Each structure stands twice: as structure tokens, then as C-alpha cells.
Amino acid sequence: MRPEILNPLFAEVDTLDGVGPKLKKPLEKLRCTRVRDIAYHWPDRFVTRRPVETLDEAGEGEQIIIALTVTEHRSGASRRAPYRVLATDSAGNVLALTFFGRASYTAKKQLPVGEKRRVAGKLERYGDMLQMVHPDHVMKLDDAGLGQMREPVYSLAEGLTQPRMASLAAQALEKLPDLPEWIEPGMLAQQKWPAWADALRSVHARDDETAKDRLAYDELLANALALQLVKADNRRKRGRPLAGDGSLRDKLQLPFPLTGAQERSIREIEGDLAQDAPMLRLLQGDVGAGKTVVALHAMLVAVEAGAQAALLAPTEILARQHFETLREMARPTGVEVALLTGRDKGRARESILMGLMDGSIQIVVGTHAIFQEAVQYRDLGLVVVDEQHRFGVSQRLQMTGKGKRPPHTLSMTATPIPRTLTLANYGEMEVSRLDELPPGRQAIDTRVVGMDRLPEVVEAVGRHLASGQQAYWVCPMVRDEEGMEKAAAEQRYAALKARFDDDAVVMVHGQLDPEVKDAAMARFASGQAKLLVATTVIEVGVDVPASTLIVIEQAESFGLAQLHQLRGRVGRGSEKSTCLLLRGNQLSETGQRRLALMRETQDGFRIAEEDLELRGGGELLGTRQSGDTPFRIATLDQMQRFLDPATADAKLLMDRDAGLEGERGEAARILLYLMERDMGVRTLRGG
Ligand code: ADP
Ligand code: MG
């Protein structure tokens, strides 16, 4: 139960004055749905306006305050044309105050002809006219707030204005409760950090790095504590040791010997499984490193020991593909492998549920559907989670709640996560590393090509297909506008389909019907279709070794880690592979560096480290941009400075007060709820 003291913060935004259904939408876009979120949505920066006597003193683009006399109102020639109010300064210079849409009503009221007003805003030029679009303030001369004016600049969504946002923030700050201090007093004193509520008030009022650090530390501490709680809970649990006798694994007939790294990882996993305490291990291996075989070995150990194993994949496509691969590989062992996704309905689903309940299905592969209430296992011993960074901590906990005794878990990730992020995401999970690629892999020939050479690229794809090989064509995904993602892929699909043999081209993207998607993937995987046009749904794990060319459109719009993942779709067989990065004309410096790095290296670790660098210290590393950090507040720079102390502090607190029952423990509980890391608290008494 969330502590009552936090209730005002978790009230919906529409409990604030002035928030109706119309504002809820843009606020939602900013991920502000509760009062708490508004309090945490502090200004990006502050502007200082300069008071000027005449326009001659001001430069274009400058934020100014100036006294003007209103001379004329001009409504637009058409409905879409702006409404203009002309006004003159003391020297007779004319300034057009420009209003679009319904803002003209306010203009009419606030700026009567012949009156003097002080206006504040940004001075711009429009043709040969000086103008100010939507002045931020229109004041009477005797109004307070004269002289210099410093103001917050909040990031906004359409439908919101700066004054509105500032007013919501002020209301949210009014509601801040007085919370007990959860940061260790020594740390607080050493860093000279303000108390929580003061810190929030401060970051809305000025550019206060110290206060921001404190708020970031809160988040890091909460995360570290949550991970500690989960880990402690795990240690208390008695799982079941799974010792395999090798009888099933001996029957495998793999077409290749395991690499040294695979052998080593399997041994490490075996060692964990034989223990009483449930395994919490991360298997880290770059794309194509061969994690699937390792997972199969782990699952067979469980089955040899008489238990069941489940593999959880982040997408439908991936679940299906894992299922096919694992079923094929496991065939000689006689083990029953089933697929269960949210899509399975009716009788087929019933029969799988039965099989899981009576134990006749020993390995199940699926999406999160395999952990829904209705799914009962006879004896679930091991859960393997593929591409773990796509799942939240709460989902992880849900999984471990399934067995009678908590199952062992093996998480697999292809993103070679820098150490900082591993710590943030997994706490101190044990890690096995596949740091050796299977032999015979060839480097992928990566080239950056301008979009103006599209026709040549299409020709090259044509030659590639004509030679009997397969290819991917990836279109950018525009995150917030689902429709655009579809348009991009569908347009390209139509064009390529028209250019090549109709049957040779298939498409997958997030909004297709599942059946349509499957059918397309199946046709591509079987080699019937030669060219797959896709959005980033193919980013993780898709494995079609015969595909040796990938074209990535608007490559600059993808993050490095994502490009690396996408490129990893090729170079999986023994044939030489090519990756063509199509870039648009407007390339930012970061975009350029990203593409250059892609050309330069295939080392996933280096790419991951540089990815973090490039995204820069000041930039928020929210889940919006990447799924690889669990933080909304802490920047990369703050993570680097405070993740270690926060982790150490969390550990110390847990050592002293594992139940979080002392004074600081109670405060820490509040912090966990405040930062929405409360799933850990539920493992405690009275949580
Ligand atoms: P990932 O780590 O990206 O999940 P996969 O498990 O999909 O990698 O393996 C990539 C490809 O490498 C697959 O086609 C797989 O059969 C093959 N592979 C895995 N291990 C070996 C090995 N030891 N030797 C040769 N090929 C291997
Ligand atoms: Mg994989």
C-alpha cells in the first residue's frame, strides 16, 4: 500500500485548476498524468528578458520587454492567416504582434487601440517587418513584473503554453508534502543537498544543479534499493536445486561444436542451477554470439531434473522463431516443446494449458502470455528471458511468482551493456559473457550512402536478389506517430513490390494483423520471399542466416545500439554480408559520428559505450529514447557520479535494517513508492 502521505502527489492531473479533458492529452504526451509528474517536469532552462526602450536597441531573436502603443488591429485575409496587432515604440518603430487561431480573441481584449502596454517575447523578423509571435506577456504599465524578467522554459506539447505549464507547476509544488529524509545524513551534508521538497521547488525556480543532483540521487537510490530488495528476497527463498544427468543433452545433434565461451557459460549456469537459492544470472552476448544454444542446454538441465522450463521472448515474431529453432534442435531428445502467445485461443490454447499443467509439455516458449494468471505449471523450474532489457522489473517479479518454489531465472541480452547500465538494470546479478563469436563469421561490409543515390541502391538490391540471396529493407520508425511508421514502411513496400517480382517482397510492421505478420515472416524465413521490408520489429533476434544484405533507411534517425542490433540481422551465415546505411541530407554532427562509428567497428561493447557518450551527459536517458536505462531523472553524467554511492548506500541501509522498519527505513519505503520502485517493498512485511 502506498503511504497516505503521498496521495496528493499521485492524484490525477485534472485535480489541478485549469486542467480539463483538453489539456490532459498534451500533458499525457509529456508523460504527466499525475501531480507528481508535473512536479518532476521542471524547466529545461530559463530565459532572461532584457527591457529595452526602443526596438533599435534589440537584436533579432532576442527576448525583450518593451513598452508599446497599440495603433491598429488587422484581421487576416483568410481564416488561416494570422491576426496582427500593430504597435509603435517610443521612437516610432512599428512592431507587429502576431496571433494565430484563437489567440486573436485574447489579443483583442488585451490590446485596445490607443492604449500603452508592456509586452514581453521574442523579437523576430518576418519579411521586412519586425514581429513578435504570441507575446508571452502583455501587461499594463503599472503592472508588477517590470524590469528584468527571468522565466522558466518548460518543454511543452501542442496545446500547452509556458504560463499554463508554470501555473500547473506552481500548483503541484503547493501540494508537496513534508516527507522524511531518506538520504543518509553524511551524504546530504557532504553534498550540501537541499531537502526533497526544497530541491523540487528550487529546480522550478532556477537552474540549480545541486538540487537536480539530489533528485537524481533519489531516483538512483530508489532503484538500487529495489534491486537489493528483490535480491534479498531471492536469497531468502528456497528454490529447488536442478541437477541434470546429461541424458537429454547427450542426445543433441548440433551441426557445430560449441565455442569455448558457450561451454563456459553452460558450466556456470549448471553450477547455479544445482544450488538451493534460485539462480539470477545474466547471459550477455553480442548479436549472433549463440545464446539460444546456451539457453537450450540450461532448459534441458531442468527437464533432466524432472522440471519444466519456459522461455520468454519480447515479441511474437521472436517467440515463434525461438520455438521453431528450439523444437528443431530438441527433436532428437524427444522433449516436448510448445509455443504459447497471447494470440492462441480456443482449443489449441486449452490443450497447451493442459500440457503445462500435467507436465507433458516440458519446454514452453512464448510472450508474456506464458505468465498470465490462467497458466499453471506442474513444476516450473527455470525461466529464460530473452532480451531482458525490454522487460521491466515488475514483469520480472511477476515471473518469479509462478512456481510453487521460485524458479531459477536466466536473462539473456544481446545489447552489450556498459557496466554502468548493467549495474542500474540488474544490480549485482551474476553475469556470463559470450565474448567469442562462433568461428567463420565474416566482417559485415558497412557503407554509408546518401539518399540521393536511392535508385542505385535499389538496383544493387535487385542484383543481390537476382543472385538468389535474400535481403532486409528497414524503414525508420517514428516513435510517437504510429501512423508514420506504417506509412514509411508501406510506401517503400509498395515501391519495391512494383519494382521487383510481386511474390518476392513481403512486409512486417507493428500494426499488421498477427496472422499477416507471421505469414510474411514464414515466407521470408523459408526463402520463398527474398526481400523483407520491415520497421524495427525485426530489431531483436530475428535469425535468417541466408539473408546477407540489409538496407537501413534514414539510418541517422536510429540510435547506435539500435543500428548495431539491426545490422546484426546479417552476417549470421558463412556468406559475406553487406549493410547499407542510407542517410538523409540533413545530418546532425551526432548523426554523422554515429554512422562513422558503425562503419568503423562491429564491436558491440565499443558501440554501446560510445552510444552513451554520444547521447551526452546533459540529455535525459529516459525510456523514451532507449530501453536500456531505467531512469527518467538521472542523466548519464549523474549516473556516473552517483550510481556507485547510491548502490553502496542501499546496501548499507539493507545491512542495518533489512526490513526497512527503522526511521530511515520508513523514509526509504516512501521513496520507493514515490519513485515507483515499490515492487520491492511488497516482498517486505507490512509493505
Ligand atoms: P544470438 O546470441 O544473437 O541469440 P543465436 O543463438 O541466434 O545468436 O545464434 C546465431 C547463429 O549462430 C545461429 O544460426 C546459430 O545456429 C549459430 N551458432 C550458434 N552457436 C554456434 C557455434 N558454436 N558454432 C557455429 N554456429 C553457431
Ligand atoms: Mg537471440
Side-chain angles (χ1 to χ4, degrees), residues 242-250 270 300-306:
L242 298 173
D245 57 6
S247 56
L248 295 173
R249 282 169 287 162
D250 285 346
E270 261 185 296
L300 288 178
V301 172
V303 179
E304 285 168 9

Side-chain angles (χ1 to χ4, degrees), residues 389-390 425 622-623 625-630:
H389 61 286
R390 302 225 151 183
N425 280 298
T623 37
Q625 302 175 351
S626 67
D628 57 10
T629 147

Side-chain angles (χ1 to χ4, degrees), residues 388-663:
Q388 168 125 27
H389 61 286
R390 302 225 151 183
F391 296 97
V393 179
S394 58
Q395 271 164 306
R396 276 184 243 165
L397 287 175
Q398 195 185 353
M399 292 174 324
T400 50
K402 262 296 164 181
K404 278 181 271 319
R405 282 168 297 183
H408 298 275
T409 48
L410 175 67
S411 309
M412 307 198 292
T413 175
T415 319
I417 313 175
R419 198 199 75 89
T420 334
L421 291 184
T422 315
L423 191 62
N425 280 298
Y426 305 103
E428 276 138 90
M429 224 180 201
E430 309 297 333
V431 178
S432 292
R433 246 189 213 134
L434 293 181
D435 47 12
E436 179 186 352
L437 289 183
R441 294 284 161 81
Q442 295 192 39
I444 300 166
D445 184 12
T446 303
R447 293 183 219 170
V448 180
V449 183
M451 195 59 189
D452 47 331
R453 288 171 56 198
L454 183 66
E456 287 168 59
V457 171
V458 174
E459 288 316 304
V461 171
R463 283 194 300 278
H464 185 82
L465 301 185
S467 76
Q469 302 180 78
Q470 288 173 282
Y472 297 101
W473 189 299
V474 181
C475 294
M477 161 167 138
V478 179
R479 265 186 206 275
D480 283 330
E481 285 153 276
E482 309 267 51
M484 302 232 350
E485 169 195 354
K486 192 166 140 186
E490 285 191 339
Q491 253 173 21
R492 188 58 67 207
Y493 172 63
L496 292 170
K497 221 169 142 67
R499 168 65 180 73
F500 301 117
D501 174 16
D502 227 24
D503 284 344
V505 190
V506 288
M507 168 174 66
V508 294
H509 63 63
Q511 286 142 63
L512 289 174
D513 276 345
E515 290 73 26
V516 178
K517 240 187 324 197
D518 283 354
M521 272 317 287
R523 277 174 52 78
F524 187 69
S526 70
Q528 277 172 286
K530 298 294 179 200
L531 179 61
L532 175 66
V533 179
T535 56
T536 50
V537 289
I538 65 154
E539 180 188 339
V540 281
V542 171
D543 184 29
V544 182
S547 191
T548 48
L549 169 65
I550 185 164
V551 178
I552 305 176
E553 238 183 278
Q554 276 181 40
E556 72 276 8
S557 64
F558 296 100
L560 265 177
Q562 214 174 13
L563 286 173
H564 179 64
Q565 287 284 333
L566 286 169
R567 181 170 59 183
R569 296 313 104 218
V570 299
R572 301 172 82 83
S574 47
E575 292 292 320
K576 178 97 188 149
S577 289
T578 307
C579 170
L580 296 180
L581 302 171
L582 290 188
R583 62 164 168 74
N585 301 325
Q586 279 157 350
L587 203 54
S588 70
E589 198 178 318
T590 321
Q592 255 167 36
R593 280 179 59 191
R594 273 197 206 128
L595 298 188
L597 189 73
M598 284 298 292
R599 220 171 27 200
E600 205 178 297
T601 184
Q602 232 167 289
D603 176 347
F605 257 97
R606 174 144 178 243
I607 290 177
E609 299 279 356
E610 300 249 353
D611 191 27
L612 274 185
E613 281 303 302
L614 280 184
R615 275 187 272 155
E619 202 173 331
L620 269 183
L621 287 172
T623 37
R624 266 170 304 157
Q625 302 175 351
S626 67
D628 57 10
T629 147
F631 302 122
R632 281 185 67 173
I633 302 169
T635 61
L636 174 62
D637 170 59
Q638 286 166 328
M639 279 169 68
Q640 274 157 353
R641 281 184 293 140
F642 299 126
L643 198 57
D644 280 329
T647 305
D649 191 21
K651 224 186 271 177
L652 200 66
L653 177 58
M654 288 289 290
D655 283 347
R656 287 184 191 153
D657 181 11
L660 297 184
E661 282 160 338
E663 201 176 322

